[in-house]
């Protein structure tokens, strides 16, 4: 049976289909839901954060308490060698940006939120805390980043029917509620609590690890699901 020539309408329909798949993150050239560079950046984020605040803490005077005081103090104008913690926050933001670009298997909204979280981390570094206390800009970036990274797991769902346990709805709800609980503890400590620094470090260390958990789950789950062809194209095959 002869095959009808494919006209401009077919190629236009096919082109829009492929564009839609790429924009929604359903097609990955490497054949995997997460490329290696995105997995590496996700793994690097918590390592960079913990290493950065450890080195910065060693440079602070004995009066600095990591249990009572935040990491923003080390990056602020009253800290010793603030460039260490400032660089750490910038690198953390870059890790988020790179990871967001490579998490092609999750909903676009989750990738956008992770991108905003990366920008927030860079914004915190760009608005150092003065000796008199945090500025409104510094607080705005801090609150924005804290809320986004806390609710981010709820949206980190996959486009495939081969759902990973980590990306299942019950797991995402449980993780999000846990993160919100940590955030609530952190907010409570800001009201004159004696463990503000401890709450912040625990909150940040756990939350920065989760993008790597999601990226690893996507990587191990295999390829993403490709959207079905339009009905018009299926009829021409």
């Amino acid at each position: 049976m002869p095959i009808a020539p494919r006209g401009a309408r077919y190629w236009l329909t096919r082109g829009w289909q492929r564009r839609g798949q790429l924009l929604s993150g359903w097609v990955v050239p490497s054949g995997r839901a997460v490329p290696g560079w995105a997995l590496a950046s996700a793994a690097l984020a918590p390592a960079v954060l913990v290493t950065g605040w450890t080195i910065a803490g060693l440079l602070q005077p004995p009066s600095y308490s990591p249990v009572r005081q935040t990491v923003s103090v080390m990056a602020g104008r009253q800290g010793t060698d603030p460039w260490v913690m400032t660089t750490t926050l910038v690198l953390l933001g870059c890790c988020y940006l790179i990871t967001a670009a490579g998490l092609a298997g999750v909903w676009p909204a989750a990738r956008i939120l992770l991108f905003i979280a990366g920008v927030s981390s860079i914004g915190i570094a760009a608005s150092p805390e003065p000796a008199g206390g945090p500025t409104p800009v510094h607080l705005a970036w801090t609150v924005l980043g804290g809320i986004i990274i806390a609710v981010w797991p709820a949206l980190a769902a996959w486009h495939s029917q081969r759902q990973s346990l980590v990306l299942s709805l019950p797991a995402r709800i449980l993780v999000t509620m846990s993160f919100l609980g940590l955030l609530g503890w952190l907010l409570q400590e800001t009201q004159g609590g004696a463990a503000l620094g401890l709450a912040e470090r625990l909150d940040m260390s756990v939350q920065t690890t989760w993008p790597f958990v999601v990226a690893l789950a996507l990587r191990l789950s295999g390829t993403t699901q490709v959207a079905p062809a339009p009905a018009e194209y299926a009829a021409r095959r």
Side-chain angles (χ1 to χ4, degrees):
M1 180 178 179
I3 301 177
R6 297 174 175 177
R9 187 176 179 182
Y10 162 80
W11 292 112
L12 182 61
T13 302
R14 186 60 173 165
W16 276 108
Q17 180 203 9
R18 290 182 176 178
R19 179 180 297 182
Q21 291 173 354
L22 288 172
L23 289 178
S24 62
W26 285 29
V27 173
V28 181
S30 64
R32 286 188 176 273
V34 178
W37 51 266
L39 185 64
S41 66
L44 192 60
V48 165
L49 181 63
V50 175
T51 302
W53 76 39
T54 300
I55 295 176
L58 294 175
L59 298 174
Q60 303 309 307
S63 59
Y64 177 82
S65 172
V67 175
R68 293 184 291 103
Q69 295 174 279
T70 66
V71 298
S72 294
V73 173
M74 296 188 293
R77 293 187 176 92
Q78 60 179 324
T80 303
D81 293 316
W83 65 269
V84 176
M85 200 62 222
T86 299
T87 303
T88 299
L89 292 173
V90 172
L91 291 177
L92 174 63
C94 292
C95 288
Y96 278 163
L97 298 179
I98 295 172
T99 303
L103 285 184
V106 299
W107 290 347
R111 300 173 69 183
I112 293 173
L113 286 182
L114 190 58
F115 183 89
I116 296 175
V119 174
S120 298
S121 182
I122 298 174
I124 294 172
S127 55
E129 180 179 306
T135 63
V137 176
H138 182 87
L139 283 177
W141 283 120
T142 303
V143 172
L144 177 63
I147 293 176
I148 285 179
I149 204 65
V151 302
W152 183 80
L155 297 177
W158 193 17
H159 283 302
S160 175
Q161 295 178 351
R162 293 178 55 195
Q163 189 65 272
S164 169
L165 179 61
V166 172
L167 304 178
S168 64
L169 181 59
R172 288 186 284 119
I173 292 177
L174 178 61
V175 172
T176 301
M177 294 302 294
S178 300
F179 284 4
L180 290 176
L182 287 173
L183 182 61
W185 177 35
L186 176 59
L187 293 176
Q188 182 181 5
E189 290 296 327
T190 59
Q191 307 304 311
L196 177 59
L198 176 62
E200 183 190 48
R201 283 165 173 78
L202 180 59
D203 183 57
M204 293 179 67
S205 60
V206 172
Q207 291 178 352
T208 54
T209 304
W210 196 250
F212 170 69
V213 175
V214 172
L216 182 62
L218 288 169
R219 181 83 174 184
L220 296 177
S221 297
T223 59
T224 55
Q225 181 184 25
V226 178
E232 179 182 352
Y233 168 59
R236 287 174 174 264
R237 294 184 63 183

